[in-house]
C-alpha cells in the first residue's frame, strides 16, 4: 500500500476543497448560465441540488477518499476488494479520471482568456472603449488559434508546475497564498459594484423565480452546474480526501465547502449583474458575459481598468486553485500504479489534456461551424466535451452515492462521520435513495430532449451501477447478518 501522505494541518483539506470548488464555475459559468436561463428559477434548481444532493455526495466522496487513502482509481480498486463487491465499482475512479482530463482541457483554454483580459485591463487598453470595440476585441481573440493556444499553454504549465512540486510544497503552499487573496479581492469587487452598479436590480434578477420559465436544457445545466461547482463526482475531492486528517470532521467540512462555494457564486453573481445592470447591458450574453459585458461595464466606470484588472487576477487565481485539483487525481494514480515520479505523471496528464484542449481552441475559429464534428455531434467540440462532463459528473456522483450508501458498513461510516444515529440515518437515506433518484429523474427528463443518442450509453452505465449495487446488497446481507 502507498505510504500515505496527509495534509500538514487539520484544516488544510478545507482550504484545498474550497480552492477546488471555487473557480471559473462560480465566477464565469454560474453568472452566465443564470443570465442565459433567466435568473431566479435556475438558481433555485441549482441551490436545491447543492443542498439535498450535493452535500450528501460530497460527504460520500470525501469518505471514500479518506477510507481508502489512495488515488480515486486505486482507492476504488482497494475498496471493491475489501468490501467484496463487484469490480464494476472501479468505474467511479475511471469516470473521474476521464472527466478530470476532459474538464482540464477546456478549463485551461477559458482561464487563458482571463490572462488576456488581465493584461488588457491593467494596461488600460479598454478604458473608454465602446460596446462595438470590446465585442470586436473578444471576437478577435476567439478568432486567433495562435493566441488562444499561447494562453492555454501558459495556464496549463503554471498549474502543472504547482502540482509537480507535490502536495505540500506545491499545492498547500500555493493555496495558502492564493485563497486569502481571492476573498479579499472578491469583497473589493463587491464593494465597487455596490458603489457603481445597480445592486437592487441584480438582487431582483437573481432571487425572483418562476420555475415554468426554465427550459429543459436549463434543468440539466442547473444540475450539471451544481456538480461542477462543487467539483463533485470526478475524483478531485476523493483525491484530496485521501490526504485529509483522520480527526477533521467530515460533515462539518462538507457543509462548509458547499456554503462557501455557494456564497462565492452568489456574491460574484450580485457583483457582476450589478455592474451589468448599472451599465444598462444585457444579461443573456452567454460565455461572453465575463469577457464582453463586464469589461464594457468596467470601461465606463471610474478606476475601471485597475479594478477590472484585479478582478481578472481573481478569476485566474480561482481557476488555478481548481485546475490543480483536476491534475492531482490522475497524477496520483500514475504515480501509484506505474511508479512514475510525480513530475513525470504531471507532465503526462498535462500534455494529454493540453492536446485535447486544442479541440476547444479550434471550436471558436477554424472548426466553428459546418465541419464534420458538427454534423456528427450537432455541436462544436467544446460544447460536446462540456456536455459530456455535464453528464459524467452527476453520473459519477450517483455511483459514489450508491457505493458509499450500500457497500460501506454501518461501523465504517460511523467511524468516518462520527455523528449520531439520526444524522447517520438521514445521510444514508439521502445517498441511498434521494440523491440517485433526483439525478436520474433530471437525466430522464432532460437528456432525451437534449441528445437522443446518448441515452443508450447512459442507460448502460446506470444498469451496470444498479447491477453492482444489487450484487453488493445481496452479498452484504448474506454475509453479515
Ligand atoms: N469546481 C470548479 C469550478 O467551479 C471546477 C472543477 C470541477 C474543479 C471539477 C475540479 C473538479 O470552477
Amino acid at each position: 500500500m502507498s505510504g500515505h501522505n496527509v495534509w500538514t494541518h487539520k484544516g488544510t483539506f478545507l482550504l484545498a476543497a474550497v480552492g477546488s470548488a471555487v473557480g471559473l464555475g462560480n465566477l464565469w459559468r454560474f453568472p452566465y448560465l443564470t443570465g442565459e436561463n433567466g435568473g431566479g428559477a435556475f438558481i433555485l434548481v441549482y441551490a436545491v441540488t447543492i443542498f439535498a444532493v450535493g452535500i450528501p455526495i460530497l460527504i460520500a466522496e470525501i469518505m471514500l477518499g479518506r477510507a481508502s487513502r489512495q488515488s480515486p482509481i486505486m482507492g476504488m480498486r482497494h475498496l471493491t476488494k475489501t468490501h467484496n463487491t463487484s469490480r464494476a465499482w472501479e468505474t467511479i475512479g475511471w469516470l473521474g479520471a476521464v472527466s478530470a482530463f476532459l474538464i482540464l482541457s477546456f478549463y485551461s483554454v477559458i482561464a487563458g482568456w482571463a490572462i488576456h483580459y488581465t493584461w488588457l485591463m491593467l494596461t488600460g487598453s479598454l478604458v473608454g472603449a465602446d460596446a462595438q470595440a470590446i465585442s470586436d476585441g473578444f471576437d478577435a481573440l476567439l478568432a486567433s488559434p495562435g493566441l488562444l493556444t499561447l494562453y492555454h499553454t501558459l495556464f496549463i504549465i503554471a498549474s502543472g508546475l504547482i502540482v509537480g512540486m507535490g502536495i505540500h510544497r506545491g499545492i498547500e503552499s500555493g493555496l495558502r497564498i492564493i485563497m486569502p487573496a481571492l476573498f479579499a479581492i472578491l469583497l473589493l469587487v463587491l464593494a465597487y459594484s455596490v458603489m457603481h452598479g445597480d445592486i437592487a436590480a441584480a438582487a431582483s434578477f437573481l432571487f425572483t423565480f418562476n420555475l415554468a420559465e426554465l427550459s429543459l436544457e436549463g434543468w440539466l445545466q442547473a444540475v450539471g452546474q451544481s456538480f461542477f461547482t462543487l467539483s463533485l463526482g470526478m475524483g478531485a475531492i476523493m483525491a484530496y480526501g485521501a490526504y485529509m486528517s483522520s480527526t477533521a470532521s467530515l460533515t462539518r467540512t462538507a457543509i462548509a465547502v458547499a456554503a462557501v462555494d455557494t456564497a462565492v457564486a452568489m456574491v460574484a453573481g450580485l457583483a457582476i449583474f450589478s455592474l451589468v445592470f448599472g451599465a444598462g447591458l444585457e444579461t443573456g450574453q452567454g460565455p461572453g458575459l465575463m469577457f464582453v459585458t463586464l469589461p464594457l461595464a468596467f470601461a465606463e466606470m471610474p478606476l475601471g481598468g485597475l479594478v477590472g484588472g484585479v478582478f481578472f487576477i481573481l478569476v485566474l487565481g480561482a481557476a488555478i486553485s481548481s485546475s490543480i485539483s483536476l491534475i492531482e487525481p490522475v497524477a496520483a494514480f500514475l504515480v501509484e500504479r506505474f511508479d512514475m515520479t510525480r513530475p513525470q505523471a504531471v507532465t503526462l496528464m498535462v500534455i494529454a489534456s493540453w492536446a485535447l484542449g486544442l479541440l476547444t481552441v479550434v471550436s471558436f475559429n477554424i472548426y466553428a461551424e459546418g465541419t464534420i464534428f458538427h454534423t456528427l455531434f450537432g455541436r462544436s467540440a467544446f460544447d460536446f466535451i462540456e456536455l459530456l462532463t455535464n453528464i459524467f459528473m452527476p453520473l459519477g456522483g450517483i455511483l459514489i452515492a450508491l457505493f458509499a450508501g450500500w457497500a460501506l458498513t454501518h461501523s465504517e461510516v460511523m467511524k468516518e462521520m462520527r455523528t449520531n444515529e439520526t444524522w447517520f440515518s438521514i445521510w444514508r437515506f439521502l445517498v441511498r435513495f434521494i440523491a440517485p433518484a433526483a439525478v436520474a429523474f433530471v437525466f430522464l427528463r432532460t437528456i432525451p430532449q437534449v441528445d437522443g443518442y446518448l441515452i443508450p450509453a447512459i442507460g448502460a452505465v446506470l444498469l451496470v451501477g444498479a447491477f453492482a449495487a444489487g450484487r453488493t446488497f445481496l452479498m452484504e446481507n448474506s454475509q453479515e447478518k
Side-chain angles (χ1 to χ4, degrees):
M1 213 136 303
S2 58
H4 70 244
N5 262 315
V6 178
W7 299 115
T8 318
H9 298 284
K10 197 172 152 185
T12 308
F13 173 81
L14 178 61
L15 180 75
V18 168
S20 171
V22 171
L24 293 176
N26 308 58
L27 305 174
W28 166 70
R29 208 167 183 246
F30 169 76
Y32 99 68
L33 286 177
T34 306
E36 271 186 340
N37 288 293
F42 178 85
I43 298 200
L44 185 68
V45 175
Y46 163 85
V48 169
T49 315
I50 297 248
F51 285 90
V53 178
I55 293 179
I57 297 185
L58 196 54
I59 295 177
E61 187 167 343
I62 308 172
M63 195 183 288
L64 295 184
R66 192 163 74 173
S68 69
R69 291 242 178 261
Q70 290 175 58
S71 71
I73 296 174
M74 301 307 281
M76 285 313 299
R77 185 169 298 177
H78 172 71
L79 290 175
T80 57
K81 283 198 196 116
T82 49
H83 289 77
N84 212 353
T85 56
S86 156
R87 270 285 290 270
W89 287 107
E90 222 180 284
T91 317
I92 293 177
W94 290 104
L95 207 57
V98 172
S99 308
F101 168 69
L102 294 176
I103 294 175
L104 182 64
S105 77
F106 71 78
Y107 206 80
S108 165
V109 175
I110 312 281
W113 302 354
I115 303 182
H116 186 70
Y117 277 84
T118 308
W119 176 251
L120 289 185
M121 287 282 170
L122 290 180
T123 53
S125 318
L126 297 181
V127 174
D130 62 7
Q132 194 59 44
I134 290 184
S135 100
D136 288 351
F138 183 59
D139 292 344
L141 170 66
L142 294 193
S144 164
L147 262 189
L148 294 182
T149 305
L150 171 71
Y151 293 132
H152 166 48
T153 311
L154 288 178
F155 182 83
I156 213 163
I157 289 181
S159 313
L161 284 177
I162 298 182
V163 185
M165 287 198 290
I167 69 162
H168 300 298
R169 275 200 320 130
I171 299 181
E172 277 194 66
S173 318
L175 290 173
R176 266 205 201 101
I177 302 168
I178 297 172
M179 298 313 287
L182 284 192
F183 288 101
I185 298 179
L186 187 63
L187 293 181
L188 185 98
V189 173
L190 178 67
Y192 179 85
S193 76
V194 170
M195 276 164 19
H196 299 290
D198 186 346
I199 195 90
S204 93
F205 178 67
L206 294 182
F207 304 122
T208 339
F209 48 80
N210 176 1
L211 267 187
E213 275 168 19
L214 194 60
S215 68
L216 281 174
E217 181 140 11
W219 274 79
L220 183 63
Q221 283 175 334
V223 171
Q225 171 62 11
S226 24
F227 278 80
F228 186 84
T229 193
L230 289 182
S231 306
L232 271 190
M234 51 137 296
I237 291 294
M238 207 187 293
Y240 278 179
Y243 310 136
M244 185 186 194
S245 136
S246 333
T247 55
S249 160
L250 240 173
T251 320
R252 248 183 270 149
T253 308
I255 294 176
V257 172
V260 174
D261 184 75
T262 309
V264 171
M266 296 301 153
V267 169
L270 277 174
I272 289 174
F273 287 115
S274 169
L275 294 173
V276 168
F277 286 121
L281 303 169
E282 293 295 317
T283 55
Q285 249 279 320
L289 180 69
M290 176 181 279
F291 299 100
V292 178
T293 317
L294 202 59
L296 185 53
F298 279 125
E300 295 167 356
M301 291 176 188
L303 285 182
L306 183 64
V307 180
V310 170
F311 174 81
F312 281 104
I313 293 178
L314 163 72
V315 174
L316 276 175
I320 209 159
S321 65
S322 300
S323 62
I324 56 181
S325 74
L326 290 161
I327 300 177
E328 181 60 27
V330 180
F333 165 69
L334 295 173
V335 170
E336 281 167 14
R337 176 72 181 77
F338 300 106
D339 264 336
M340 289 188 185
T341 64
R342 178 168 271 268
Q344 286 170 339
V346 170
T347 308
L348 190 63
M349 164 68 171
V350 161
I351 290 182
S353 208
W354 175 86
L356 183 69
L358 297 180
L359 273 185
T360 291
V361 165
V362 296
S363 296
F364 296 106
N365 37 67
I366 309 175
Y367 292 117
E369 255 151 49
T371 60
I372 222 199
F373 206 93
H374 282 256
T375 330
L376 280 179
F377 298 101
R379 57 192 79 233
S380 73
F382 166 55
D383 288 340
F384 181 71
I385 294 175
E386 218 201 345
L387 176 72
L388 279 186
T389 58
N390 258 343
I391 296 171
F392 285 178
M393 296 183 76
L395 207 56
I398 297 192
L399 296 178
I400 287 172
L402 290 173
F403 188 85
W406 293 99
L408 297 188
T409 62
H410 176 268
S411 60
E412 264 176 315
V413 175
M414 282 310 255
K415 188 176 138 239
E416 291 290 340
M417 280 180 75
R418 275 185 279 119
T419 176
N420 56 35
E421 285 296 328
T422 318
W423 284 114
F424 167 80
S425 313
I426 294 178
W427 173 81
R428 182 127 114 175
F429 182 70
L430 287 172
V431 286
R432 277 190 166 181
F433 304 105
I434 301 298
V439 177
F441 170 75
V442 173
F443 272 173
L444 292 179
R445 206 172 113 86
T446 57
I447 289 174
Q449 328 285 330
V450 179
D451 252 286
Y453 67 90
L454 279 173
I455 302 183
I458 291 166
V461 178
L462 281 180
L463 264 179
V464 173
F467 174 74
R471 214 180 109 166
T472 308
F473 183 64
L474 291 179
M475 283 182 176
E476 193 185 317
N477 282 328
S478 61
Q479 284 170 5
E480 276 199 4
K481 295 164 198 159

